[in-house]
Amino acid sequence: QQAGFSAGVAATVKDHQGVSSLSAPKVKLFVGGEAIESQATESVDVVNPATQEVLCRVPLTTSEEFEAAVKTAKEAYATWRNTPVTTRQRIMLKLQELIRRDMEKLALSVTLEQGKTIGDARGDVFRGLEVVEQACGMANQQMGEFVENVSSGIDTYSIRQPLGVCAGICPFNFPAMIPLWMFPMAVTCGNTFILKPSEKDPGAAMLLAELATEAGLPPGVLNIVHGTHKVVNDICDHPDIRAISFVGSDVAGMHIYSRASATGKRVQCNMGAKNHAVVMPDADPEATLNALVGAAFGAAGQRCMAISTAVFVGDSKSWEEGLKSRASKLKVTAGTEPGADLGPVISKQAKERICSLVESGAANGARLVLDGRGIKVPGYEHGNFVGPTILADVTQDMECYKQEIFGPVLLCMEASSLQEAIQLVNSNKYGNGTAIFTRSGAAARTFQHEIDAGQVGINIPIPVPLPFFSFTGSRASFAGDLNFYGKAGVHFFTQIKTVTSQWKDKDLQGVAMAFPTSQ
Ligand code: NAD
């Protein structure tokens, strides 16, 4: 049963030549606590982006298999919803221990399938692990409210109950963290779950399901199906699925939001971004330059909270040399190589898209301060590498500014004042994250108050909140109402029932025909 369960991890980094697609193992479905061979005849290759080696194949789950997964989750819900919250918490307590135990295995799976460096992959796992830790305190977070004597002898209280079967649809860029944003909160609230990992890197999710089972999660509580558009549409349409968490691109997110909410589901969608860093002239040069380079080029820019645009208040030129010298020193190679700073981008198509957006910027008047498009990486000649790239004199009408590039490209812009910089950021459609670099408390306070983005860093380049807060992207970066994890996450995965109760020995009132009011 274990064979092919964690297929991506089994492959080694040494084989750069690749294997033929059909001999690569097929990733299993995970239904009812067991890894199951899919009967699907169609599959998608999972490709190591540094080598083009086909690591495994993701089956396109058939309609019957999907139906069986939902049925299993629905059946498991009947028991799971009645399992004490303390028991559910203890399973999470064990799960966080097992994730720590298998950190290296999980990180290697992420690096092989997604491409990021091993150090960065550990961060991917760790930021998800923190959500599991948060779920260990679910009893506190799921508490209801109680008001005694809302009317004479009458009390009202509210209880937060699970919804039923919930589902999660994941992107490629955080193969461990994002599944962990979703299922630990959902199942600890008492729901059962159907997870659809990215078809590009399902390995970490499969390992996590294995660990959740080892931690004691009963069969059917967490299930994994694989595929692309069709299975996503099946999730949107299924009448027994009550809520969907989605993280990914705008196109998929808005499609899922409208299709699934039309069937009455609760939906939360975290989508694309264009995160600006506003750099004030008084900012600490060393700290700011280091922060910008790390946040722009780390993970090859494939983070929804990457800093992709720097807005320099005053002159950008005085900063360019510092950016260029730091960025040029970064080591671009396979994420498994010692000392790697950034790995490849996810696919050949992603690389082409990134390069063509850089090209269109340059053709429309942007200045190439650093061009990483032609990079050659010894030993990994077939990898999808793009070196750190810096475009200056970028303006708002340029395609490279309007679109999310999602690659190791930093755009530099200028503003004549803090107010002008704030206006620029606020007129961008996205509202995921932003940061200001300054030594002025007054400038930071003005920025924090007036900026229209959901997550603000003050001298912090990637302000992703820890899970006792929520991930609060806004405007075009988010659709829905309740955000991921934290209090909002618990609210997303629960529904409120409000009970009004009265206990009395004798009825003194008789028949009351008027609408009851507080007495
Ligand atoms: P993607 O939208 O291509 O894929 C995400 C998921 O949706 C996958 O599971 C995929 O199978 C499915 N999917 C894709 N297109 C679909 C369609 N047309 N219909 C139905 N299902 C579809 O996203 P990606 O390329 O994997 O991830 C990168 C994107 O995710 C970037 O835009 C990035 O900003 C965003 N992202 C956002 C956050 C956030 O928290 N805001 C976090 C991580 C990534």
Side-chain angles (χ1 to χ4, degrees), residues 25 47 66 119 138 145 174 225 265 329 331 360 365 428 441 469:
V47 179
F66 174 70
M138 187 54 75
E145 293 173 319
F174 281 98
V225 295
K265 292 181 180 51
K329 288 193 195 100
K331 185 169 171 185
S360 89
N428 189 283
F469 292 94

Side-chain angles (χ1 to χ4, degrees), residues 219-239:
V221 175
L222 171 64
N223 306 277
I224 299 188
V225 295
H226 298 291
T228 56
H229 303 33
K230 175 168 180 316
V231 76
V232 168
N233 287 341
D234 288 345
I235 291 172
C236 293
D237 297 344
H238 203 292

Side-chain angles (χ1 to χ4, degrees), residues 193-482:
F193 208 75
I194 309 275
L195 185 76
K196 209 281 301 165
S198 168
E199 66 278 14
K200 298 190 172 81
D201 45 22
M206 294 304 289
L207 286 170
L208 289 167
E210 194 175 8
L211 295 182
T213 307
E214 188 182 340
L217 202 66
V221 175
L222 171 64
N223 306 277
I224 299 188
V225 295
H226 298 291
T228 56
H229 303 33
K230 175 168 180 316
V231 76
V232 168
N233 287 341
D234 288 345
I235 291 172
C236 293
D237 297 344
H238 203 292
D240 288 336
I241 294 178
R242 297 285 314 278
I244 300 180
S245 287
F246 167 84
V247 179
S249 65
D250 302 355
V251 174
M254 289 317 296
H255 165 74
I256 290 164
Y257 189 76
S258 51
R259 186 160 177 152
S261 54
T263 71
K265 292 181 180 51
R266 205 176 264 201
V267 190
Q268 52 176 194
C269 290
N270 269 10
M271 297 176 287
K274 197 84 181 173
N275 306 307
H276 300 68
V278 171
V279 181
M280 298 299 285
D282 68 353
D284 179 300
E286 194 64 19
T288 304
L289 287 165
N290 290 339
L292 288 179
V293 168
F297 306 122
Q302 299 175 113
R303 292 179 183 142
C304 66
M305 287 291 279
I307 292 285
S308 52
T309 306
V311 183
F312 296 97
V313 173
D315 176 26
S316 83
K317 293 219 171 50
S318 54
W319 297 89
E320 285 170 17
E321 199 41 51
L323 284 175
K324 185 178 172 179
S325 66
R326 282 169 179 75
S328 322
K329 288 193 195 100
L330 297 176
K331 185 169 171 185
V332 183
T333 182
T336 44
E337 290 292 334
D341 288 310
L342 56 143
V345 298
I346 189 71
S347 63
K348 291 232 167 298
Q349 295 85 325
K351 177 175 171 165
E352 269 165 34
R353 189 179 159 274
I354 293 164
C355 292
S356 76
L357 282 167
V358 170
E359 186 55 42
S360 89
N364 285 286
R367 189 160 42 82
L368 266 166
V369 175
L370 184 65
D371 187 355
R373 287 174 296 170
I375 193 162
K376 296 271 174 294
V377 178
Y380 297 93
E381 285 74 11
H382 303 294
N384 317 318
F385 294 98
V386 182
T389 299
I390 302 172
L391 272 175
D393 302 339
V394 170
T395 51
Q396 284 167 286
D397 55 338
M398 292 179 185
E399 225 30 60
C400 63
Y401 177 74
K402 289 197 268 186
Q403 291 193 34
E404 180 186 38
I405 300 180
F406 223 55
V409 182
L410 178 65
L411 308 182
C412 298
M413 302 175 86
E414 288 181 356
S416 60
S417 62
L418 174 59
Q419 277 311 324
E420 196 182 303
I422 291 173
Q423 231 168 46
L424 191 156
V425 178
N426 288 355
S427 55
N428 189 283
K429 68 175 178 170
Y430 291 113
N432 214 33
T434 186
I436 185 169
F437 291 89
T438 182
R439 286 180 169 117
S440 156
R445 175 63 176 72
T446 301
F447 185 78
Q448 167 213 296
H449 185 65
E450 293 186 12
I451 207 74
D452 196 0
Q455 303 175 104
V456 180
I458 297 175
N459 298 316
I460 297 281
I462 308 181
V464 176
L466 285 166
F468 20 90
F469 292 94
S470 299
F471 189 101
T472 50
S474 63
R475 298 198 281 137
S477 299
F478 180 69
D481 176 11
L482 297 164

